Amino acid sequence: MTDASLYDIGTYVCDLFAANNRPFLLYHNAAHTTDVVLHAIEIGAFYKLSDTDNFMLLAAAWFHDTGHLFADLATHEQESVRLMRAYFAEHPIPAANIEIIAGCIMATKLPAEPQTLLQQIICDADTYHLGSDEFWKMDPLVKAEMEARFGKPIEHWKEKTYAFLQSHHYFTTYAQERLAPVKQAHMRTLMP
């Protein structure tokens, strides 16, 4: 049915990040991508996804931020979809599955409005760190990346982070139960 494997996709994406190094990608890089894949595996396992659904979810997780390498912040999801489609043109899978993967990638565009369980899982995997202790390591990287992208310091970051956490919500019951309480604790620490 397919000559695409998740191992090959992961290798391809990691090689893509290595070959197209963008020093300003302090957060949206291969490490973040790998984290999102691992979180998608964790959340997906809870929902006992079928092999096909799991493949589509993890393919989307691998590709979801590749667009940062070649496009600006506003259009990186569309570029990620383009890169994913180019990959699967060489490693064919059913066209319907490509559309589901594309939908998962596009669902990560903020503000997130996922329509399916797979879209909900990838959105929660993408923002998993907001509800974990990793938040305190990742938030400064997000700030540094934004400053590097825009070439100027960002003022009132703590307030902006608080507002983002306030506007964000998890979509799966898995994340709502396990991550949302930790995110709430982070918000109390950041509260203006």
Side-chain angles (χ1 to χ4, degrees):
M1 178 177 121
T2 176
D3 64 350
S5 76
L6 289 170
Y7 177 83
D8 290 342
I9 293 168
T11 300
Y12 174 81
V13 168
C14 288
D15 289 349
L16 200 61
F17 274 101
N20 299 281
N21 182 41
R22 302 289 185 258
F24 61 84
L25 291 179
L26 300 166
Y27 174 74
H28 293 103
N29 52 33
H32 164 70
T33 299
T34 304
D35 285 346
V36 173
V37 170
L38 293 173
H39 297 316
I41 290 169
E42 175 188 334
I43 300 169
F46 176 80
Y47 289 99
K48 298 179 172 55
L49 298 178
S50 70
D51 289 345
T52 300
D53 282 352
N54 192 61
F55 176 88
M56 293 185 294
L57 172 67
L58 299 182
W62 277 117
F63 276 102
H64 86 284
D65 273 345
T66 53
H68 281 291
L69 295 169
F70 307 105
D72 63 24
L73 206 53
T75 60
H76 82 270
E77 293 91 357
Q78 291 92 326
E79 181 65 8
S80 296
V81 168
R82 188 192 69 73
L83 290 163
M84 176 273 296
R85 289 184 190 280
Y87 178 85
F88 285 120
E90 300 294 321
H91 306 85
I93 63 170
N97 294 10
I98 291 173
E99 296 313 309
I100 291 169
I101 296 167
C104 287
I105 293 169
M106 292 306 299
T108 65
K109 186 172 184 67
L110 297 175
E113 296 178 3
Q115 304 299 309
T116 67
L117 177 61
L118 294 183
Q119 291 176 9
Q120 291 175 349
I121 293 171
I122 195 171
C123 287
D124 288 354
D126 194 24
T127 58
Y128 190 103
H129 73 281
L130 300 178
S132 79
D133 291 340
E134 287 291 296
F135 170 76
W136 300 108
K137 187 172 97 179
M138 298 302 167
D139 191 54
L141 293 176
V142 174
K143 179 179 190 260
E145 178 176 318
M146 294 302 111
E147 290 177 339
R149 276 181 179 265
F150 299 116
K152 61 182 181 181
I154 298 175
E155 306 213 356
H156 311 293
W157 182 259
K158 182 177 166 185
E159 293 83 355
K160 288 179 171 137
T161 299
Y162 179 82
F164 177 70
L165 291 178
Q166 202 170 31
S167 68
H168 168 271
H169 64 273
Y170 288 112
F171 299 100
T172 64
T173 53
Y174 181 90
Q176 289 166 358
E177 291 169 4
R178 289 163 180 81
L179 303 175
V182 179
K183 186 187 83 167
Q184 293 298 322
H186 297 333
M187 288 175 66
R188 286 192 291 276
T189 302
L190 291 166
M191 194 174 290

